[in-house]
Amino acid sequence: MQQLSVVILAAGKGKRMVSDLPKVLHAVGGKPLLGHVLATASCLEAATRIVVYGHGGEAVKTACAGEAGVLWVEQAEQLGTGHAVAQALPLLAETGVVLVLYGDVPLTRAETLRPLVEAARHGRLALLTVELTDPDGYGRIVRDESGQVRRIVEEKDATPAERGLREVNTGILAAPAAKLRGWVVGLGNDNAQGEYYLTDIVALAVRDDVPVEPFTVVDPAEAQGVNDRRQLAELERCYQRRRAEALMCGGATLLDPARVDVRGTVTTGRDVVIDANVVFEGTVCLGDRVRIGPFCLLRDTVIGDDVEILSHCRIEGAEVGAGAQIGPFARLRPETQLAAGVHIGNFVETKKTRIGPGSKVNHLTYLGDAEIGTRVNVGAGTITCNYDGANKHKTLIGDDAFIGSNSSLVAPVRIGQGATVGAGSSVSRDVPDGGLCLTRAPRKDVLHWQRPVKPKKS
Ligand code: UD1
Ligand code: CA
């Protein structure tokens, strides 16, 4: 099979973003625009991915450092899309086919592009076009009486009649590498903008009797570029609608598909129910019958079967065992591991903490750097004092222990199996298995106490 090279044009300034960040690094679904395009190219099994960069090149390269095997070529001056592709020619194989994508057009599906690549493999010039009710600003596709594409005319060079055409150029095209090379070196810049237009290769293909095959994309979002933040927001919504639809196709109930945001990857088991305004980031895995209440954020987290997460929880870098109940208003921080059936209630924060099966931490508690056994009850207001101002220390709590409310566990400390800590205690030494620790100050009672009084005014 003829190898595919993908050339991604990303040298434009993106002035209308009004941003210090290069345009292609602005994110959709938590991922830079260029990241989406690179991923699409990988999906098409591109042998080579070449990015033509300009403005903010170093920042773009750094941000894409994780992408293996991307070739970078600078276009120092932005003299047009044809000039941009010309910069990539030295890196292109002599044979095979080339697909040109734009770094600021993130939502094109690989399935949409495959037929273009196939057409190029059959020696044709393939164009991705779209019908727009408002074609303002785009290059128009000019066909002859028999419907054959003859050329593309840019808006600024078009006659009034041509401006009336609704079929426009998305800019995405595929061609045999050798032919593209010949056409691109032959481009001139005698036009209204004094630019080297890549679109002029269409007329050159017609001249050379190379068939030009247009493919019309049905969903305009696939061809939509980002020029300003309004368009960025529009594409974010399109992307999120796609993600929500994928979740629903996978068997999840979304109480409002317009109010779920996925910035990463979410996998769901059967019969998951997700309420409104839930945000997923990174890699999140939800087991069967998981229920998530409104206003939760889950990042890089694994949730077991039958877990219920009530509203307003933030869960990050955690593993939650089957049947656990979380929230409302809980914060699970990285390296939290909850076994099956654990209860975490409101205003509880955990960090680097393992909690054994069936243990309950129901209210107003901080557990950091702790290991907690099975069937432990942690009373309201319990705090692990894990930090001495310089170092972090561990708290160990044995199976079946009971921690009374409002206790401070001053780490390093171990509460034994079945041990009891009386409410209000400050525990700085280990408590033996089965023992009781009570550090409450002894109670003093004074009968008929006379409160202080203000001096009488004379
Ligand atoms: C281009 C097409 C037009 C099409 C439109 C779709 C040409 C001449 N025109 O128009 O037919 O309807 O896209 O959006 O190709 N870029 C570079 N270097 C340059 C110029 C552009 O890398 O010197 C990159 C930009 O970063 C951008 C893409 O190419 O990603 C398109 O550039 P843009 O200026 O938006 O193209 P238009 O003139 O709008
Ligand atoms: Ca444009």
Side-chain angles (χ1 to χ4, degrees):
M1 195 172 56
Q2 299 177 61
Q3 288 213 318
L4 168 67
S5 302
V6 175
V7 176
I8 301 170
L9 305 190
K13 279 212 172 56
K15 235 165 118 188
R16 279 178 284 164
M17 295 300 284
V18 197
S19 175
D20 294 332
L21 194 65
K23 177 164 76 174
V24 293
L25 292 186
H26 283 264
V28 160
K31 178 151 97 180
L33 298 175
L34 182 56
H36 286 272
V37 184
L38 286 167
T40 306
S42 297
C43 226
L44 292 166
E45 282 123 37
T48 321
R49 296 179 295 171
I50 303 169
V51 179
V52 181
Y53 68 93
H55 182 71
E58 286 313 311
V60 178
K61 276 195 208 175
T62 309
C64 298
E67 293 273 356
V70 175
L71 302 178
W72 297 88
V73 54
E74 187 176 6
Q75 184 193 23
E77 256 188 300
Q78 275 81 68
L79 302 179
T81 49
H83 181 260
V85 171
Q87 309 311 300
L89 291 180
L91 297 177
L92 279 178
E94 290 294 328
T95 59
V97 296
V98 180
L99 172 68
V100 177
L101 299 177
Y102 287 6
D104 56 2
V105 180
L107 298 191
T108 325
R109 290 181 165 93
E111 291 64 47
T112 303
L113 297 170
R114 264 183 237 286
L116 278 79
V117 174
E118 273 319 297
R121 286 192 171 122
H122 286 92
R124 299 183 204 130
L125 170 59
L127 305 176
L128 190 67
T129 70
V130 61
E131 296 261 358
L132 295 179
T133 41
D134 177 15
D136 260 20
Y138 289 90
R140 310 295 205 280
I141 307 290
V142 181
R143 295 178 183 247
D144 62 19
E145 312 77 49
S146 63
Q148 295 296 305
V149 174
R150 303 300 297 182
R151 59 193 176 90
I152 295 174
V153 63
E154 291 304 298
E155 163 117 353
K156 287 187 177 137
D157 302 289
T159 63
E162 285 166 341
R163 282 184 199 186
L165 296 170
R166 297 253 182 94
E167 187 188 9
V168 308
N169 173 34
T170 65
I172 292 170
L173 56 83
K179 297 216 165 81
L180 181 74
R181 187 182 292 276
W183 296 326
V184 166
V185 296
L187 290 175
N189 66 349
D190 183 15
N191 51 52
Q193 303 184 78
E195 283 184 8
Y196 297 89
Y197 290 165
L198 181 61
T199 44
D200 284 349
I201 70 169
V202 175
L204 298 177
V206 170
R207 180 201 67 190
D208 293 349
D209 284 328
V210 172
V212 179
E213 196 173 348
F215 293 85
T216 304
V217 64
V218 185
D219 176 3
E222 289 198 52
Q224 180 68 56
V226 173
N227 292 306
D228 56 35
R229 298 195 195 233
R230 276 179 18 223
Q231 290 171 329
L232 184 69
E234 277 170 27
L235 286 193
E236 178 73 32
R237 283 307 102 207
C238 291
Y239 177 81
Q240 293 302 343
R241 201 175 53 233
R242 285 188 190 177
R243 294 276 73 76
E245 275 162 18
L247 286 173
M248 293 187 289
C249 288
T253 294
L254 305 183
L255 290 175
D256 184 352
R259 284 184 292 164
V260 168
D261 285 73
V262 179
R263 301 170 196 149
T265 321
V266 182
T267 53
T268 53
R270 299 180 76 81
D271 298 305
V272 166
V273 179
I274 300 168
D275 210 327
N277 295 309
V278 174
V279 176
F280 297 99
E281 295 183 347
T283 307
V284 175
C285 186
L286 306 176
D288 294 338
R289 297 170 299 281
V290 168
R291 280 162 297 160
I292 304 178
F295 300 99
C296 290
L297 183 143
L298 280 74
R299 173 190 293 161
D300 295 322
T301 281
V302 180
I303 307 286
D305 296 344
D306 300 294
V307 169
E308 180 163 32
I309 300 168
L310 301 175
S311 75
H312 299 91
C313 290
R314 182 184 173 97
I315 302 180
E316 187 181 350
E319 283 171 39
V320 178
Q325 278 188 40
I326 315 292
F329 297 97
R331 179 171 183 206
L332 307 185
R333 291 169 53 200
E335 295 182 60
T336 292
Q337 287 179 29
L338 309 182
V342 165
H343 287 196
I344 299 287
N346 38 214
F347 308 108
V348 170
E349 174 181 346
T350 64
K351 185 220 77 173
K352 232 183 187 175
T353 286
R354 275 219 309 260
I355 303 183
S359 289
K360 292 179 182 164
V361 189
N362 277 330
H363 333 265
L364 300 150
T365 288
Y366 173 59
L367 300 176
D369 303 293
E371 268 180 47
I372 293 163
T374 61
R375 294 176 305 276
V376 170
N377 192 304
V378 178
T382 297
I383 305 288
T384 54
C385 308
N386 59 327
Y387 185 51
D388 60 14
N391 301 295
K392 301 275 171 68
H393 301 283
K394 273 193 116 168
T395 300
L396 307 174
I397 303 179
D399 297 346
D400 300 297
F402 181 96
I403 314 297
S405 293
N406 215 30
S407 294
S408 311
L409 309 177
V410 184
V413 70
R414 178 179 177 275
I415 313 297
Q417 286 190 13
T420 304
V421 172
S425 293
S426 176
V427 186
S428 50
R429 275 181 289 117
D430 291 357
V431 181
D433 294 351
L436 167 70
C437 164
L438 192 60
T439 72
R440 231 178 273 159
R443 167 169 165 168
K444 194 154 95 183
D445 284 298
V446 176
L447 299 178
H448 313 301
W449 173 249
Q450 177 62 57
R451 290 190 207 143
V453 291
K454 286 183 179 166
K456 287 223 169 66
K457 280 187 190 140
S458 53

